[in-house]
Amino acid sequence: MTFLRAFVPLVLTAALPATAQSPWHMTLGPEDSVKIGMLRNAPNGHISYQEGKGGLTIWVDGRIGDATQGTFILHPHSWSIPDLERASPVRVFAAVHDSTLPCTSDSAWYRNYAAINAIIPGPRQGELLAFVDGEFHPKNTGTPLRASIGIATSTDDGMTWGQRAVIVQGNDMVAAHFDCAAVDATMKTRVDDEGSAGPTAVVRTEGGTQYIYLYYLDRVRLSSGGRPTSDIYVARAAYARGGAPGSWQFWTGRGWSPPGPEVIASPVITTPPHGGESAHPQVTYNTTLKRWLMIFHTRLDLYASTSEDGTTWDAPQALGASIRGARAPAFPTLVTPGSADQQTTGATGWLFYSREVNLSATRKGYLGFRRSFTISTIPSHGAPPRPRAGRRPKP
């Protein structure tokens, strides 16, 4: 398929004036299981897609069997569950899987694990940019892990990816002057995870300049004043630079850092009470709300929030997606069929995610699920309407 080569980059611009946001609500429909491409542990990150005259292309993270983990490309005929499950997956990205690679190596940031979490058109004709969740496991035991975010490029419709480089490593690595060995030496137990992960990317225009806005979680143990945190952060880079290392600015709470090396950043969303962590944010421009819409997971539930400027977000709303007796949903992606890609959503669509469930009496695993979603604005006077079952979008 070659329709991606002619894809025109979508530039999104927040359209609301600087006024208070009207109340809004997201309603979810019933949960259906979906096994995209018959992959296991999928989605194990955000889903990216491109939709155009040439058809539908999807990138999803998962496994074939027990060992072949990575990012897969699929070409389903539609968003219907039968078509998603019949689509044939081809692996296009994977970790290095070389346990001897030192943490100082150029490829160490994805030595043990790699998953593409966001794909957007690049600034050059026929180019795609991928933002990768990579992991280095100091003990080669899965956890503890040190996560980083990298970038890769493709010029063949997302089949092969080159120019792989790390771009975000997190506050603790910045505080340690990027001494990976020093940070890794502090990771002694299975819960001592570190670093930035779960990226999402959108292109927006601000002050006449096009930027890539990159949202991510950062697990901070060492430079957080003694209280480990896992909150959501944002960085941006001029779109014309294609996300290259050294072109990024980081939100500090007082403004943007100058383009250049990573600095200590401040979160734009902190974890809701009792949520444990905020992770894997996905951001879209929602045409119904005319604002940026973020969905992310915690250890309790999925949450949604909106923003006009990309840095100031309203109080997150719990979506009630948790299932009693099972792990809360993770790795959320909102999809509105008919949109060019995952950067834009409308009033209705699909919410994809995965949950850890009991596969047998002795074995657990992640399964994929889907719900419809409906976004509505709530009248400013009177009580909010009672929640209704979500209207299912067309597949």
Side-chain angles (χ1 to χ4, degrees), residues 158-386:
M159 291 297 298
T160 59
W161 297 90
Q163 297 182 322
R164 305 177 181 190
V166 65
I167 54 176
V168 183
Q169 299 183 68
N171 280 357
D172 279 351
M173 280 290 285
V174 176
H177 305 288
F178 304 100
D179 186 340
C180 56
V183 173
D184 293 349
T186 71
M187 300 165 65
K188 301 182 183 301
T189 72
R190 295 185 69 88
V191 298
D192 291 339
D193 294 339
E194 284 282 351
S196 53
T200 186
V202 290
V203 179
R204 59 171 284 159
T205 299
E206 186 173 325
T209 300
Q210 298 177 30
Y211 290 96
I212 303 169
Y213 270 59
L214 184 73
Y215 294 87
Y216 59 95
L217 74 98
D218 189 10
R219 304 180 183 98
V220 185
R221 291 190 310 117
L222 307 177
S223 57
S224 56
R227 185 179 68 87
T229 61
S230 179
D231 298 321
I232 295 173
Y233 296 73
V234 64
R236 73 177 189 182
Y239 181 63
R241 294 291 308 276
S247 66
W248 292 91
Q249 301 173 268
F250 295 83
W251 183 253
T252 66
R254 299 179 301 276
W256 294 102
S257 67
E262 185 176 356
V263 302
I264 295 291
S266 294
V268 292
I269 287 185
T270 56
T271 301
H274 312 296
E277 66 174 6
S278 295
H280 285 85
Q282 189 224 4
V283 174
T284 69
Y285 183 75
N286 187 265
T287 57
T288 296
L289 299 173
K290 295 182 174 60
R291 290 170 69 88
W292 302 94
L293 171 65
M294 178 191 295
I295 186 169
F296 61 94
H297 77 241
T298 72
R299 293 174 184 167
L300 293 178
D301 201 350
L302 298 180
Y303 283 79
S305 178
T306 68
S307 173
E308 180 182 335
D309 61 8
T311 56
T312 303
W313 294 81
D314 54 29
Q317 297 184 17
L319 298 183
S322 185
I323 302 296
R324 184 180 297 275
R327 184 168 174 171
F331 312 119
T333 301
L334 296 177
V335 169
T336 292
S339 294
D341 63 17
Q342 75 283 349
Q343 295 186 73
T344 307
T345 51
T348 62
W350 299 112
L351 164 64
F352 290 86
Y353 56 87
S354 61
R355 288 193 290 107
E356 188 179 59
V357 300
N358 292 325
L359 300 177
S360 67
T362 59
R363 184 181 182 190
K364 295 183 179 180
Y366 280 95
L367 294 181
F369 295 91
R370 188 177 80 170
R371 294 174 182 259
S372 63
F373 74 83
T374 301
I375 293 175
S376 59
T377 55
I378 302 172
S380 57
H381 300 288
R386 298 177 65 181

Side-chain angles (χ1 to χ4, degrees), residues 17 28 43 49 52 71 96 101-102 173 236 255 300 313:
L28 302 181
Y49 73 92
T71 300
V96 176
L101 205 62
M173 280 290 285
R236 73 177 189 182
L300 293 178
W313 294 81

